[in-house]
Amino acid sequence: MALLTLDEAKSILSLPSGTQYDDELTVYIEALTEVIEAFVGPIDSREVVEQADARGQILVLLQTPALSLTTFAPVITGGSAVNVADLHLDGTSGAVGRLDGAAWSGGPWTVTYQAGRSTVPASLTVAARLLLQHWWRTRYGAARGNPGGGEDFDVNEPVPGYGYAIPNRVMQLLEPYRRPPVVA
């Protein structure tokens, strides 16, 4: 699921109706959804299957927020699957623990679960709109100019891995939803 529709993007950018910009806008919408998901995790609900290993009493899923667990089975043939009803999932952090408090053993595990959001927070939609505007305004570089300033789109510090492609205001909107760091 993209954060914006093609019609929404045209409206945000005040583009004329018609298909002149459709291909370019579609790429922008897909790219901004990928960029925002890199910071906040999946936007729409999707099935994730991953191999996870646990130490002690907690196993941490990589895709957060996690909505629900589907299956939990050992990778090693002959091991016993764990009933997901016997597990506790902290969806925000992706931490999975046993309700009986026992430590994990017998892994690694193949975990199938639903990750994403049941609703998209408004600030993530606003971040997507601002990012689209920023990219559209800067798509032809300095030659295009930006009459009237552009303070809302200032990028004072590069974002690791993205350089100056993400404005400060977008990063501020994403911050409350940032994925927790992954510890190996």
PDB file of all heavy atoms in Angstrom, residues 85-120:
ATOM      1  N   ALA A  85      -0.796 -18.954  21.054  1.00  0.00           N
ATOM      2  CA  ALA A  85      -1.637 -18.533  22.174  1.00  0.00           C
ATOM      3  C   ALA A  85      -0.868 -18.564  23.492  1.00  0.00           C
ATOM      4  O   ALA A  85      -1.274 -17.933  24.468  1.00  0.00           O
ATOM      5  CB  ALA A  85      -2.877 -19.425  22.277  1.00  0.00           C
ATOM      6  N   ASP A  86       0.271 -19.249  23.510  1.00  0.00           N
ATOM      7  CA  ASP A  86       1.107 -19.329  24.713  1.00  0.00           C
ATOM      8  C   ASP A  86       2.200 -18.272  24.725  1.00  0.00           C
ATOM      9  O   ASP A  86       3.115 -18.323  25.551  1.00  0.00           O
ATOM     10  CB  ASP A  86       1.759 -20.714  24.809  1.00  0.00           C
ATOM     11  CG  ASP A  86       0.723 -21.819  24.997  1.00  0.00           C
ATOM     12  OD1 ASP A  86      -0.371 -21.528  25.537  1.00  0.00           O
ATOM     13  OD2 ASP A  86       1.007 -22.962  24.579  1.00  0.00           O
ATOM     14  N   LEU A  87       2.112 -17.317  23.799  1.00  0.00           N
ATOM     15  CA  LEU A  87       3.148 -16.291  23.674  1.00  0.00           C
ATOM     16  C   LEU A  87       2.567 -14.899  23.878  1.00  0.00           C
ATOM     17  O   LEU A  87       1.396 -14.656  23.634  1.00  0.00           O
ATOM     18  CB  LEU A  87       3.797 -16.365  22.283  1.00  0.00           C
ATOM     19  CG  LEU A  87       4.418 -17.707  21.905  1.00  0.00           C
ATOM     20  CD1 LEU A  87       4.905 -17.667  20.464  1.00  0.00           C
ATOM     21  CD2 LEU A  87       5.551 -18.060  22.853  1.00  0.00           C
ATOM     22  N   HIS A  88       3.427 -13.993  24.316  1.00  0.00           N
ATOM     23  CA  HIS A  88       3.057 -12.580  24.441  1.00  0.00           C
ATOM     24  C   HIS A  88       3.857 -11.794  23.404  1.00  0.00           C
ATOM     25  O   HIS A  88       5.073 -11.946  23.305  1.00  0.00           O
ATOM     26  CB  HIS A  88       3.369 -12.042  25.837  1.00  0.00           C
ATOM     27  CG  HIS A  88       3.249 -10.556  25.911  1.00  0.00           C
ATOM     28  ND1 HIS A  88       2.035  -9.908  25.904  1.00  0.00           N
ATOM     29  CD2 HIS A  88       4.187  -9.580  25.954  1.00  0.00           C
ATOM     30  CE1 HIS A  88       2.247  -8.603  25.954  1.00  0.00           C
ATOM     31  NE2 HIS A  88       3.537  -8.383  25.989  1.00  0.00           N
ATOM     32  N   LEU A  89       3.176 -10.941  22.644  1.00  0.00           N
ATOM     33  CA  LEU A  89       3.820 -10.109  21.643  1.00  0.00           C
ATOM     34  C   LEU A  89       3.691  -8.646  22.034  1.00  0.00           C
ATOM     35  O   LEU A  89       2.589  -8.147  22.248  1.00  0.00           O
ATOM     36  CB  LEU A  89       3.153 -10.318  20.270  1.00  0.00           C
ATOM     37  CG  LEU A  89       3.538  -9.341  19.162  1.00  0.00           C
ATOM     38  CD1 LEU A  89       5.016  -9.479  18.796  1.00  0.00           C
ATOM     39  CD2 LEU A  89       2.653  -9.549  17.939  1.00  0.00           C
ATOM     40  N   ASP A  90       4.823  -7.973  22.152  1.00  0.00           N
ATOM     41  CA  ASP A  90       4.833  -6.517  22.290  1.00  0.00           C
ATOM     42  C   ASP A  90       4.998  -5.995  20.865  1.00  0.00           C
ATOM     43  O   ASP A  90       6.097  -6.019  20.304  1.00  0.00           O
ATOM     44  CB  ASP A  90       5.985  -6.054  23.179  1.00  0.00           C
ATOM     45  CG  ASP A  90       6.043  -4.540  23.311  1.00  0.00           C
ATOM     46  OD1 ASP A  90       5.612  -3.823  22.377  1.00  0.00           O
ATOM     47  OD2 ASP A  90       6.537  -4.053  24.339  1.00  0.00           O
ATOM     48  N   GLY A  91       3.910  -5.558  20.271  1.00  0.00           N
ATOM     49  CA  GLY A  91       3.908  -5.185  18.868  1.00  0.00           C
ATOM     50  C   GLY A  91       4.815  -4.024  18.523  1.00  0.00           C
ATOM     51  O   GLY A  91       5.393  -3.975  17.438  1.00  0.00           O
ATOM     52  N   THR A  92       4.965  -3.072  19.429  1.00  0.00           N
ATOM     53  CA  THR A  92       5.790  -1.898  19.161  1.00  0.00           C
ATOM     54  C   THR A  92       7.257  -2.267  19.036  1.00  0.00           C
ATOM     55  O   THR A  92       7.939  -1.859  18.107  1.00  0.00           O
ATOM     56  CB  THR A  92       5.598  -0.844  20.259  1.00  0.00           C
ATOM     57  OG1 THR A  92       4.210  -0.518  20.337  1.00  0.00           O
ATOM     58  CG2 THR A  92       6.401   0.403  19.966  1.00  0.00           C
ATOM     59  N   SER A  93       7.755  -3.064  19.969  1.00  0.00           N
ATOM     60  CA  SER A  93       9.171  -3.432  19.963  1.00  0.00           C
ATOM     61  C   SER A  93       9.442  -4.716  19.189  1.00  0.00           C
ATOM     62  O   SER A  93      10.582  -5.001  18.833  1.00  0.00           O
ATOM     63  CB  SER A  93       9.684  -3.605  21.398  1.00  0.00           C
ATOM     64  OG  SER A  93       9.087  -4.743  22.003  1.00  0.00           O
ATOM     65  N   GLY A  94       8.414  -5.528  18.967  1.00  0.00           N
ATOM     66  CA  GLY A  94       8.583  -6.811  18.304  1.00  0.00           C
ATOM     67  C   GLY A  94       9.084  -7.903  19.241  1.00  0.00           C
ATOM     68  O   GLY A  94       9.448  -8.988  18.801  1.00  0.00           O
ATOM     69  N   ALA A  95       9.078  -7.647  20.548  1.00  0.00           N
ATOM     70  CA  ALA A  95       9.549  -8.626  21.530  1.00  0.00           C
ATOM     71  C   ALA A  95       8.493  -9.708  21.746  1.00  0.00           C
ATOM     72  O   ALA A  95       7.316  -9.417  21.939  1.00  0.00           O
ATOM     73  CB  ALA A  95       9.871  -7.952  22.858  1.00  0.00           C
ATOM     74  N   VAL A  96       8.939 -10.969  21.681  1.00  0.00           N
ATOM     75  CA  VAL A  96       8.058 -12.109  21.898  1.00  0.00           C
ATOM     76  C   VAL A  96       8.579 -12.877  23.104  1.00  0.00           C
ATOM     77  O   VAL A  96       9.762 -13.222  23.167  1.00  0.00           O
ATOM     78  CB  VAL A  96       8.026 -13.049  20.673  1.00  0.00           C
ATOM     79  CG1 VAL A  96       7.098 -14.233  20.930  1.00  0.00           C
ATOM     80  CG2 VAL A  96       7.610 -12.291  19.426  1.00  0.00           C
ATOM     81  N   GLY A  97       7.699 -13.122  24.056  1.00  0.00           N
ATOM     82  CA  GLY A  97       8.060 -13.898  25.234  1.00  0.00           C
ATOM     83  C   GLY A  97       7.024 -14.980  25.479  1.00  0.00           C
ATOM     84  O   GLY A  97       5.905 -14.924  24.970  1.00  0.00           O
ATOM     85  N   ARG A  98       7.404 -15.953  26.267  1.00  0.00           N
ATOM     86  CA  ARG A  98       6.476 -17.021  26.644  1.00  0.00           C
ATOM     87  C   ARG A  98       5.636 -16.543  27.826  1.00  0.00           C
ATOM     88  O   ARG A  98       6.147 -15.922  28.746  1.00  0.00           O
ATOM     89  CB  ARG A  98       7.247 -18.270  27.035  1.00  0.00           C
ATOM     90  CG  ARG A  98       8.010 -18.899  25.885  1.00  0.00           C
ATOM     91  CD  ARG A  98       8.875 -20.048  26.419  1.00  0.00           C
ATOM     92  NE  ARG A  98       9.568 -20.714  25.350  1.00  0.00           N
ATOM     93  CZ  ARG A  98       9.160 -21.825  24.741  1.00  0.00           C
ATOM     94  NH1 ARG A  98       8.043 -22.400  25.110  1.00  0.00           N
ATOM     95  NH2 ARG A  98       9.859 -22.349  23.781  1.00  0.00           N
ATOM     96  N   LEU A  99       4.363 -16.839  27.797  1.00  0.00           N
ATOM     97  CA  LEU A  99       3.482 -16.435  28.896  1.00  0.00           C
ATOM     98  C   LEU A  99       3.885 -17.092  30.214  1.00  0.00           C
ATOM     99  O   LEU A  99       3.678 -16.522  31.287  1.00  0.00           O
ATOM    100  CB  LEU A  99       2.023 -16.757  28.569  1.00  0.00           C
ATOM    101  CG  LEU A  99       1.373 -15.877  27.495  1.00  0.00           C
ATOM    102  CD1 LEU A  99      -0.048 -16.350  27.206  1.00  0.00           C
ATOM    103  CD2 LEU A  99       1.380 -14.411  27.903  1.00  0.00           C
ATOM    104  N   ASP A 100       4.483 -18.294  30.131  1.00  0.00           N
ATOM    105  CA  ASP A 100       4.897 -18.969  31.367  1.00  0.00           C
ATOM    106  C   ASP A 100       6.236 -18.454  31.890  1.00  0.00           C
ATOM    107  O   ASP A 100       6.712 -18.896  32.930  1.00  0.00           O
ATOM    108  CB  ASP A 100       4.946 -20.490  31.167  1.00  0.00           C
ATOM    109  CG  ASP A 100       5.986 -20.933  30.143  1.00  0.00           C
ATOM    110  OD1 ASP A 100       6.798 -20.093  29.668  1.00  0.00           O
ATOM    111  OD2 ASP A 100       5.990 -22.136  29.804  1.00  0.00           O
ATOM    112  N   GLY A 101       6.847 -17.500  31.181  1.00  0.00           N
ATOM    113  CA  GLY A 101       8.104 -16.904  31.633  1.00  0.00           C
ATOM    114  C   GLY A 101       9.334 -17.741  31.367  1.00  0.00           C
ATOM    115  O   GLY A 101      10.440 -17.344  31.729  1.00  0.00           O
ATOM    116  N   ALA A 102       9.184 -18.901  30.745  1.00  0.00           N
ATOM    117  CA  ALA A 102      10.329 -19.782  30.484  1.00  0.00           C
ATOM    118  C   ALA A 102      11.247 -19.181  29.429  1.00  0.00           C
ATOM    119  O   ALA A 102      10.840 -18.384  28.590  1.00  0.00           O
ATOM    120  CB  ALA A 102       9.825 -21.152  30.012  1.00  0.00           C
ATOM    121  N   ALA A 103      12.494 -19.594  29.491  1.00  0.00           N
ATOM    122  CA  ALA A 103      13.472 -19.163  28.500  1.00  0.00           C
ATOM    123  C   ALA A 103      13.274 -19.941  27.207  1.00  0.00           C
ATOM    124  O   ALA A 103      12.731 -21.048  27.206  1.00  0.00           O
ATOM    125  CB  ALA A 103      14.888 -19.388  29.037  1.00  0.00           C
ATOM    126  N   TRP A 104      13.700 -19.339  26.100  1.00  0.00           N
ATOM    127  CA  TRP A 104      13.615 -19.999  24.809  1.00  0.00           C
ATOM    128  C   TRP A 104      14.673 -21.078  24.695  1.00  0.00           C
ATOM    129  O   TRP A 104      15.796 -20.905  25.147  1.00  0.00           O
ATOM    130  CB  TRP A 104      13.828 -18.983  23.682  1.00  0.00           C
ATOM    131  CG  TRP A 104      12.689 -18.030  23.546  1.00  0.00           C
ATOM    132  CD1 TRP A 104      12.625 -16.758  24.007  1.00  0.00           C
ATOM    133  CD2 TRP A 104      11.447 -18.292  22.919  1.00  0.00           C
ATOM    134  NE1 TRP A 104      11.416 -16.200  23.708  1.00  0.00           N
ATOM    135  CE2 TRP A 104      10.672 -17.119  23.030  1.00  0.00           C
ATOM    136  CE3 TRP A 104      10.904 -19.394  22.262  1.00  0.00           C
ATOM    137  CZ2 TRP A 104       9.386 -17.026  22.515  1.00  0.00           C
ATOM    138  CZ3 TRP A 104       9.632 -19.293  21.741  1.00  0.00           C
ATOM    139  CH2 TRP A 104       8.883 -18.115  21.872  1.00  0.00           C
ATOM    140  N   SER A 105      14.304 -22.164  24.061  1.00  0.00           N
ATOM    141  CA  SER A 105      15.271 -23.215  23.750  1.00  0.00           C
ATOM    142  C   SER A 105      14.787 -23.917  22.490  1.00  0.00           C
ATOM    143  O   SER A 105      13.623 -23.831  22.130  1.00  0.00           O
ATOM    144  CB  SER A 105      15.395 -24.217  24.904  1.00  0.00           C
ATOM    145  OG  SER A 105      14.161 -24.873  25.118  1.00  0.00           O
ATOM    146  N   GLY A 106      15.697 -24.597  21.805  1.00  0.00           N
ATOM    147  CA  GLY A 106      15.305 -25.362  20.637  1.00  0.00           C
ATOM    148  C   GLY A 106      15.277 -24.594  19.338  1.00  0.00           C
ATOM    149  O   GLY A 106      14.803 -25.102  18.337  1.00  0.00           O
ATOM    150  N   GLY A 107      15.774 -23.364  19.302  1.00  0.00           N
ATOM    151  CA  GLY A 107      15.763 -22.557  18.081  1.00  0.00           C
ATOM    152  C   GLY A 107      16.914 -22.923  17.167  1.00  0.00           C
ATOM    153  O   GLY A 107      17.637 -23.871  17.437  1.00  0.00           O
ATOM    154  N   PRO A 108      17.110 -22.251  16.081  1.00  0.00           N
ATOM    155  CA  PRO A 108      16.371 -21.064  15.665  1.00  0.00           C
ATOM    156  C   PRO A 108      14.946 -21.386  15.233  1.00  0.00           C
ATOM    157  O   PRO A 108      14.592 -22.526  15.000  1.00  0.00           O
ATOM    158  CB  PRO A 108      17.194 -20.537  14.477  1.00  0.00           C
ATOM    159  CG  PRO A 108      17.894 -21.735  13.940  1.00  0.00           C
ATOM    160  CD  PRO A 108      18.128 -22.647  15.114  1.00  0.00           C
ATOM    161  N   TRP A 109      14.152 -20.323  15.125  1.00  0.00           N
ATOM    162  CA  TRP A 109      12.726 -20.449  14.866  1.00  0.00           C
ATOM    163  C   TRP A 109      12.348 -19.806  13.541  1.00  0.00           C
ATOM    164  O   TRP A 109      12.911 -18.773  13.163  1.00  0.00           O
ATOM    165  CB  TRP A 109      11.926 -19.756  15.977  1.00  0.00           C
ATOM    166  CG  TRP A 109      12.245 -20.297  17.333  1.00  0.00           C
ATOM    167  CD1 TRP A 109      13.204 -19.859  18.197  1.00  0.00           C
ATOM    168  CD2 TRP A 109      11.627 -21.397  17.973  1.00  0.00           C
ATOM    169  NE1 TRP A 109      13.209 -20.613  19.332  1.00  0.00           N
ATOM    170  CE2 TRP A 109      12.250 -21.574  19.223  1.00  0.00           C
ATOM    171  CE3 TRP A 109      10.593 -22.259  17.618  1.00  0.00           C
ATOM    172  CZ2 TRP A 109      11.880 -22.562  20.113  1.00  0.00           C
ATOM    173  CZ3 TRP A 109      10.224 -23.246  18.518  1.00  0.00           C
ATOM    174  CH2 TRP A 109      10.866 -23.394  19.747  1.00  0.00           C
ATOM    175  N   THR A 110      11.371 -20.387  12.878  1.00  0.00           N
ATOM    176  CA  THR A 110      10.739 -19.729  11.737  1.00  0.00           C
ATOM    177  C   THR A 110       9.448 -19.128  12.272  1.00  0.00           C
ATOM    178  O   THR A 110       8.588 -19.842  12.778  1.00  0.00           O
ATOM    179  CB  THR A 110      10.428 -20.728  10.603  1.00  0.00           C
ATOM    180  OG1 THR A 110      11.664 -21.283  10.140  1.00  0.00           O
ATOM    181  CG2 THR A 110       9.732 -20.026   9.443  1.00  0.00           C
ATOM    182  N   VAL A 111       9.362 -17.808  12.168  1.00  0.00           N
ATOM    183  CA  VAL A 111       8.219 -17.084  12.715  1.00  0.00           C
ATOM    184  C   VAL A 111       7.439 -16.461  11.560  1.00  0.00           C
ATOM    185  O   VAL A 111       8.015 -15.785  10.707  1.00  0.00           O
ATOM    186  CB  VAL A 111       8.676 -15.972  13.686  1.00  0.00           C
ATOM    187  CG1 VAL A 111       7.476 -15.302  14.336  1.00  0.00           C
ATOM    188  CG2 VAL A 111       9.626 -16.524  14.740  1.00  0.00           C
ATOM    189  N   THR A 112       6.144 -16.716  11.548  1.00  0.00           N
ATOM    190  CA  THR A 112       5.258 -16.081  10.582  1.00  0.00           C
ATOM    191  C   THR A 112       4.353 -15.147  11.371  1.00  0.00           C
ATOM    192  O   THR A 112       3.771 -15.557  12.383  1.00  0.00           O
ATOM    193  CB  THR A 112       4.411 -17.136   9.832  1.00  0.00           C
ATOM    194  OG1 THR A 112       5.284 -18.097   9.236  1.00  0.00           O
ATOM    195  CG2 THR A 112       3.555 -16.495   8.756  1.00  0.00           C
ATOM    196  N   TYR A 113       4.275 -13.903  10.920  1.00  0.00           N
ATOM    197  CA  TYR A 113       3.476 -12.918  11.644  1.00  0.00           C
ATOM    198  C   TYR A 113       3.003 -11.818  10.707  1.00  0.00           C
ATOM    199  O   TYR A 113       3.466 -11.703   9.574  1.00  0.00           O
ATOM    200  CB  TYR A 113       4.260 -12.329  12.823  1.00  0.00           C
ATOM    201  CG  TYR A 113       5.541 -11.603  12.466  1.00  0.00           C
ATOM    202  CD1 TYR A 113       5.577 -10.212  12.412  1.00  0.00           C
ATOM    203  CD2 TYR A 113       6.718 -12.300  12.211  1.00  0.00           C
ATOM    204  CE1 TYR A 113       6.749  -9.548  12.099  1.00  0.00           C
ATOM    205  CE2 TYR A 113       7.891 -11.640  11.911  1.00  0.00           C
ATOM    206  CZ  TYR A 113       7.901 -10.253  11.855  1.00  0.00           C
ATOM    207  OH  TYR A 113       9.066  -9.587  11.552  1.00  0.00           O
ATOM    208  N   GLN A 114       2.059 -11.030  11.200  1.00  0.00           N
ATOM    209  CA  GLN A 114       1.566  -9.868  10.488  1.00  0.00           C
ATOM    210  C   GLN A 114       2.258  -8.638  11.050  1.00  0.00           C
ATOM    211  O   GLN A 114       2.277  -8.432  12.267  1.00  0.00           O
ATOM    212  CB  GLN A 114       0.041  -9.717  10.656  1.00  0.00           C
ATOM    213  CG  GLN A 114      -0.773 -10.780   9.963  1.00  0.00           C
ATOM    214  CD  GLN A 114      -0.671 -10.674   8.460  1.00  0.00           C
ATOM    215  OE1 GLN A 114      -0.784  -9.610   7.880  1.00  0.00           O
ATOM    216  NE2 GLN A 114      -0.438 -11.812   7.807  1.00  0.00           N
ATOM    217  N   ALA A 115       2.848  -7.849  10.172  1.00  0.00           N
ATOM    218  CA  ALA A 115       3.494  -6.601  10.576  1.00  0.00           C
ATOM    219  C   ALA A 115       2.826  -5.461   9.825  1.00  0.00           C
ATOM    220  O   ALA A 115       2.295  -5.647   8.727  1.00  0.00           O
ATOM    221  CB  ALA A 115       4.983  -6.654  10.277  1.00  0.00           C
ATOM    222  N   GLY A 116       2.851  -4.288  10.398  1.00  0.00           N
ATOM    223  CA  GLY A 116       2.273  -3.112   9.757  1.00  0.00           C
ATOM    224  C   GLY A 116       1.390  -2.351  10.720  1.00  0.00           C
ATOM    225  O   GLY A 116       1.542  -2.446  11.934  1.00  0.00           O
ATOM    226  N   ARG A 117       0.459  -1.626  10.170  1.00  0.00           N
ATOM    227  CA  ARG A 117      -0.434  -0.799  10.975  1.00  0.00           C
ATOM    228  C   ARG A 117      -1.879  -1.023  10.541  1.00  0.00           C
ATOM    229  O   ARG A 117      -2.142  -1.197   9.360  1.00  0.00           O
ATOM    230  CB  ARG A 117      -0.090   0.677  10.778  1.00  0.00           C
ATOM    231  CG  ARG A 117       1.254   1.036  11.346  1.00  0.00           C
ATOM    232  CD  ARG A 117       1.680   2.444  10.947  1.00  0.00           C
ATOM    233  NE  ARG A 117       2.819   2.847  11.738  1.00  0.00           N
ATOM    234  CZ  ARG A 117       4.054   2.415  11.535  1.00  0.00           C
ATOM    235  NH1 ARG A 117       4.305   1.584  10.548  1.00  0.00           N
ATOM    236  NH2 ARG A 117       5.050   2.810  12.303  1.00  0.00           N
ATOM    237  N   SER A 118      -2.770  -0.973  11.499  1.00  0.00           N
ATOM    238  CA  SER A 118      -4.189  -1.079  11.149  1.00  0.00           C
ATOM    239  C   SER A 118      -4.696   0.263  10.629  1.00  0.00           C
ATOM    240  O   SER A 118      -5.615   0.309   9.819  1.00  0.00           O
ATOM    241  CB  SER A 118      -5.010  -1.558  12.343  1.00  0.00           C
ATOM    242  OG  SER A 118      -4.754  -0.756  13.466  1.00  0.00           O
ATOM    243  N   THR A 119      -4.112   1.359  11.086  1.00  0.00           N
ATOM    244  CA  THR A 119      -4.404   2.693  10.560  1.00  0.00           C
ATOM    245  C   THR A 119      -3.084   3.451  10.417  1.00  0.00           C
ATOM    246  O   THR A 119      -2.136   3.205  11.170  1.00  0.00           O
ATOM    247  CB  THR A 119      -5.332   3.502  11.490  1.00  0.00           C
ATOM    248  OG1 THR A 119      -4.708   3.645  12.765  1.00  0.00           O
ATOM    249  CG2 THR A 119      -6.680   2.838  11.656  1.00  0.00           C
ATOM    250  N   VAL A 120      -3.033   4.356   9.470  1.00  0.00           N
ATOM    251  CA  VAL A 120      -1.829   5.142   9.234  1.00  0.00           C
ATOM    252  C   VAL A 120      -1.950   6.445  10.024  1.00  0.00           C
ATOM    253  O   VAL A 120      -2.910   7.197   9.823  1.00  0.00           O
ATOM    254  CB  VAL A 120      -1.640   5.449   7.735  1.00  0.00           C
ATOM    255  CG1 VAL A 120      -0.404   6.305   7.508  1.00  0.00           C
ATOM    256  CG2 VAL A 120      -1.556   4.162   6.938  1.00  0.00           C
TER     257      VAL A 120
END
